[in-house]
Structures are given as structure tokens and as C-alpha cells.
Amino acid sequence: MSKDKSAKIATPQAVRGTQDMLGDFADRFAHVVDTFERVRRLYGYKRIEVPVIEPTAVFARSLGETTDVVSKEMYSFEDRGGESITLRPEFTAGIARAYITNGWQQYAPLKVATHGPLFRYERPQKGRYRQFHQLDAEVLGSDSPLADAELLVFADQLLKELGIAEGVTLTLNTLGDATSRDAWRAALVEHFEAHRGDLSEDSLARLDKNPLRILDSKDPKDRPIADSAPDIDAFLTGEAQDFFGAVTSGLDAAGVAWERNARLVRGLDYYRHTAFEFVTDRLGAQGTVLGGGRYDGLIEALGGPPTAAVGWAAGIERLAMLLEESSSDEVIAVIADNPSRLEEARRIEQHLRSAGQPVLSIFKGNSKKQAEKAKAQGVGALLYVREDERPNRRLHLTEVTRKGDEGTSRLLEILGKLPSEYSELEGDDDQK
């Protein structure tokens, strides 16, 4: 039986919760990464790469067997050798595993940073994807509050250099040392047990396994109970108070604004001392753009020696959403008035690119059509190569997006990037 050649082949669709990027958003995404790479070098953080896949035990142990991430959201599968493998849902556990297995304790305190894709099977929504991307910075092997403060200053500078710090607030809390946390946890359990009959189903499940998480429940049924729960301040040891004071003093000295949020928690037992989030109201329900804390018990939970550590992560997509649309008005298009000037136009393009000037090439159409296509793509200027016996009068530059003194300054800047034979570049503010 012959195949029906006219039958249409079904095009595979993208996996739900993933996204393709083109143009402006892809440029903003890249700008976030480039800015992060530049700022992390200012603070002496080494670049680190860890595998996208890890043994499932890395995340089951580090995130807790009972957490939603482990029980509902991880992409786990059995490989051909029968080993349970997981696509990384976060960076910290893989970095901690690498710290142990590679013997990187010799470099402590080790300051590292990375970025890349992560995977969680959860309901896609604005700013949240099943394949998403994060920036990550960690300090491993330091129990100094100065490490916490430096990471927060690093994060603050990143947001400022991205130009998105306005409207973003650093909220900060302390979870205390082990003694403080244990005493607070016991008081919380007692409080929530007294209101067991009024708690939501999710909070009842957390009460036995992860009671601190009830404090940040979004269920309206839980809020009055959570709001009336005791604060950690009543249970802080003197050492824990001093640690938190040193962190906040470091922020004040660096000029970083912060607000106390006594209800900001991390549920897993290996978290200690500092917990923080940079939050905004510009992303709807997904208001956290960067968050982290100190996790002094994690490396020990993965089988390593007791090791103090602190870190943060930030969603690249969320940061990119906060950026203004990128502008292409720095780009120009070089257009030959007629085919006899095409080669010269290509040479001029390369002169400009070699001098650092972005140039958009239009491949088809007469000069009018090329100009229309270039303007449609948002270029800032059109540089025409035309017929003229005098080499320095062959070029005519038309400013598309800028007028007045700013436009004139732009023309002079481009003129300075051309060979001396084009010393008398013509330019005006009229569209050709």
C-alpha cells in the first residue's frame, strides 16, 4: 500500500511549560546573564559548572523526602543501568555534592557562581516554567556573618546594575542557631496543635513534618493562626542575636536598604541564621525575584563534614521580565542607493563592525524597500552609499530615532568610526 504523500505531517509542539525566545526577550535574558557574570567577577566568585543530571538521592536528601519538590515536581527517571536520575530542580544541592566529591574543602571558603537551566514539573504560569533558568551564588566553608552580608550586597548591586532595583525590597529574617531554631520549632508545634481543628489540609500535613512552613501559608484559613504564632525573637540565643546584628550592620555599612520580615522562613532543618528574599509587586503573585539563606547543615546531610554555607538564587526569566524592552536604536543599516555600490556598502559595514558599531544587513530589495525593512526592525539610523565622484561625499546618514543635538552627536560618533576617506559624512534629521 503506497503512502499518501499529500498527508500532512503533524508538527511536534513544544513541551508544556517550556518557551522559545526570539528578539527582545532573548536579548534581555542574555543581558541579565552578562551583567551577572560581570558583577560576580567584581566580588571574586569563581565560575562553576555542575551536571544537569544528578543521582536522585542528591535532591531527595537535600530538599527533604516530604517536600513538594521531591514528591511532586522532580523529573526523575531510571537510566539503563537501573540508577534513579533526576534533572536538577535547583543548584545548591549539586554544588554541595561537587564540593564533597571533588575535595574542594581545601579551597574553603569557596565562593562560586553559576547559571543555567533547571527543571520542575509544576503548573506553568507567568514567570514560572517547567524548564526555567537561574543565577546562583554560594559561599561554602565560611561561618562568618560577613559572608551573608557580602552575598546580599552582591545581589543588591546586581539588581541596581540591571536597572531594576526600584520597587524591589530586600526582606530579611533570622532563623537562629540550632538551639534557637529547636526551641522556636517546639513552641510553634505547641501553638499549631492547639488550633489543629482550624488548619487547612496542607498545614496539617506540614505540622508533623515541616511546621515552620505553616507560617508562610497562603491559605486564608491558616492566616489568623499563623499571624498569632510566636516570633523567633523570643527564642534567639545571644550568639544568634549577635550573628544577625553583624549581617544587618554589614548591610547598613554598604548602604543596602532592608526590611525585617519575622515570618520569612525556610522549612528544612539544615537552614540556620539568615533567610532573605528580594520581592516586588511588579510580577503579580510571583513576587520573589531573588532569595536564599544560610544552610549550615546541608553538606553534612549529604554525607560530608559539618560545613557552614550560604547562598542565593534568582530566576533569569523573572529578572528579564522586569527589564525595560531593549532598544535597537544603536543599530544602523547601510544601504546602497544602487547595485553598483553594493560592494562598497559591504566594506563600510565591516569597517563599522570592526569599530564596535552594530550594523543590520538587509539582503533584498531596492534602497526604498531596504530602508522600510530596516525601520521596521527599529534601527536608529540609515547610512546611504550613493553615486558621487568625490569619495568623501558618497555617504549620507539619516537619523531615524533621534533628533536635535542628540541626533547630531550620534552622527559625529558614527563618522569617527569610518575610514578617513569619508571625512565629510553628510547627515540630516530628515527621513530619506
Side-chain angles (χ1 to χ4, degrees):
M1 183 176 180
S2 62
K3 294 182 178 179
D4 182 1
K5 294 184 178 179
S6 64
K8 184 174 176 62
I9 298 173
T11 301
Q13 299 299 304
V15 174
R16 185 166 183 255
T18 63
Q19 62 172 337
D20 304 306
M21 299 183 200
L22 173 70
D24 175 68
F25 191 77
D27 285 340
R28 283 188 272 165
F29 185 99
H31 177 63
V32 170
V33 173
D34 292 344
T35 305
F36 172 72
E37 283 292 306
R38 177 168 51 78
V39 176
R40 64 100 178 160
R41 291 188 183 96
L42 297 177
Y43 288 80
Y45 283 66
K46 297 179 183 295
R47 175 76 182 171
I48 187 176
E49 291 287 350
V50 291
V52 172
I53 58 173
E54 293 276 2
T56 299
V58 168
F59 304 111
R61 291 179 190 172
S62 64
L63 297 177
E65 298 279 1
T66 60
T67 62
D68 286 347
V69 172
V70 172
S71 62
K72 301 177 183 178
E73 298 173 6
M74 292 201 318
Y75 280 94
S76 299
F77 58 94
E78 197 171 279
D79 68 7
R80 293 183 179 181
E83 183 178 3
S84 181
I85 300 294
T86 294
L87 297 177
R88 64 188 183 198
E90 52 103 49
F91 275 115
T92 305
I95 292 173
R97 190 273 310 151
Y99 183 81
I100 299 167
T101 58
N102 291 289
W104 289 344
Q105 299 94 320
Q106 63 182 307
Y107 305 120
L110 178 63
K111 302 197 295 186
V112 295
T114 191
H115 58 82
L118 305 170
F119 305 85
R120 293 188 184 185
Y121 189 86
E122 55 185 346
R123 183 171 65 86
Q125 53 188 292
K126 182 180 179 181
R128 187 183 292 273
Y129 304 93
R130 289 178 175 174
Q131 177 181 316
F132 58 103
H133 301 78
Q134 283 188 348
L135 312 172
D136 188 272
E138 314 280 348
V139 179
L140 301 101
S142 174
D143 61 0
S144 171
L146 297 180
D148 306 49
E150 181 185 82
L151 272 166
L152 287 163
V153 176
F154 173 180
D156 183 74
Q157 181 167 348
L158 171 66
L159 298 179
K160 286 176 178 173
E161 298 215 5
L162 286 170
I164 59 177
E166 186 174 351
V168 177
T169 303
L170 167 58
T171 60
L172 192 64
N173 196 22
T174 176
L175 303 177
D177 52 18
T179 302
S180 308
R181 185 186 174 100
D182 289 346
W184 185 37
R185 187 183 190 279
L188 289 174
V189 170
E190 181 179 352
H191 172 79
F192 292 133
E193 283 286 0
H195 298 84
R196 175 180 278 273
D198 299 318
L199 291 173
S200 67
E201 187 175 335
D202 283 345
S203 288
L204 284 173
R206 288 171 173 167
L207 180 54
D208 296 327
K209 302 166 184 175
N210 213 346
L212 270 68
R213 292 302 309 276
I214 300 175
L215 291 174
D216 59 9
S217 170
K218 303 298 187 293
D219 193 314
K221 187 177 181 181
D222 296 326
R223 287 317 317 159
I225 305 168
D227 291 341
S228 62
D231 287 341
I232 191 173
D233 290 10
F235 306 94
L236 290 177
T237 64
E239 181 181 353
Q241 292 177 33
D242 291 344
F243 191 100
F244 189 56
V247 174
T248 57
S249 293
L251 294 176
D252 293 341
V256 175
W258 59 277
E259 293 181 2
R260 177 76 187 278
N261 177 4
R263 286 294 187 264
L264 178 58
V265 296
R266 297 287 183 265
L268 299 174
D269 288 342
Y270 58 72
Y271 279 101
R272 302 282 189 274
H273 294 296
T274 319
F276 55 88
E277 291 180 351
F278 287 79
V279 297
T280 181
D281 59 3
R282 292 163 56 192
L283 293 176
Q286 302 303 323
T288 301
V289 296
L290 186 153
R294 176 163 284 278
Y295 50 92
D296 288 354
L298 172 59
I299 291 175
E300 188 174 3
L302 288 173
T307 305
V310 59
W312 57 252
I316 300 177
E317 286 89 351
R318 294 186 192 181
L319 294 173
M321 288 166 64
L322 291 172
L323 290 174
E324 299 291 336
E325 288 192 12
S326 58
S327 173
S328 58
D329 66 0
E330 296 299 321
V331 181
I332 73 168
V334 179
I335 297 174
D337 250 358
N338 62 63
S340 69
R341 292 299 172 197
L342 280 173
E343 287 190 10
E344 186 173 13
R346 299 291 84 84
R347 285 197 302 271
I348 290 170
E349 285 180 344
Q350 289 311 112
H351 278 305
L352 290 169
R353 287 173 179 144
S354 296
Q357 170 63 49
V359 179
L360 173 70
S361 293
I362 305 295
F363 302 119
K364 294 180 65 176
N366 58 30
S367 60
K368 182 177 179 181
K369 291 289 186 184
Q370 289 185 44
E372 289 173 354
K373 290 179 180 178
K375 290 176 184 178
Q377 295 195 48
V379 300
L382 305 175
L383 181 59
Y384 288 91
V385 184
R386 63 188 188 182
E387 291 286 354
D388 198 302
E389 295 301 319
R390 297 161 296 177
N392 59 4
R393 304 299 288 177
R394 285 199 196 116
L395 304 186
H396 183 92
L397 190 139
T398 297
E399 195 75 2
V400 175
T401 58
R402 306 185 191 185
K403 305 300 178 187
D405 292 343
E406 187 180 6
T408 302
S409 174
R410 177 79 173 125
L411 304 188
L412 293 173
E413 179 185 342
I414 294 173
L415 172 60
K417 295 177 180 179
L418 290 168
S420 58
E421 64 185 274
Y422 300 110
S423 58
E424 296 179 30
L425 174 68
E426 285 189 10
D428 61 27
D429 289 331
D430 298 319
Q431 296 186 9
K432 190 175 177 72

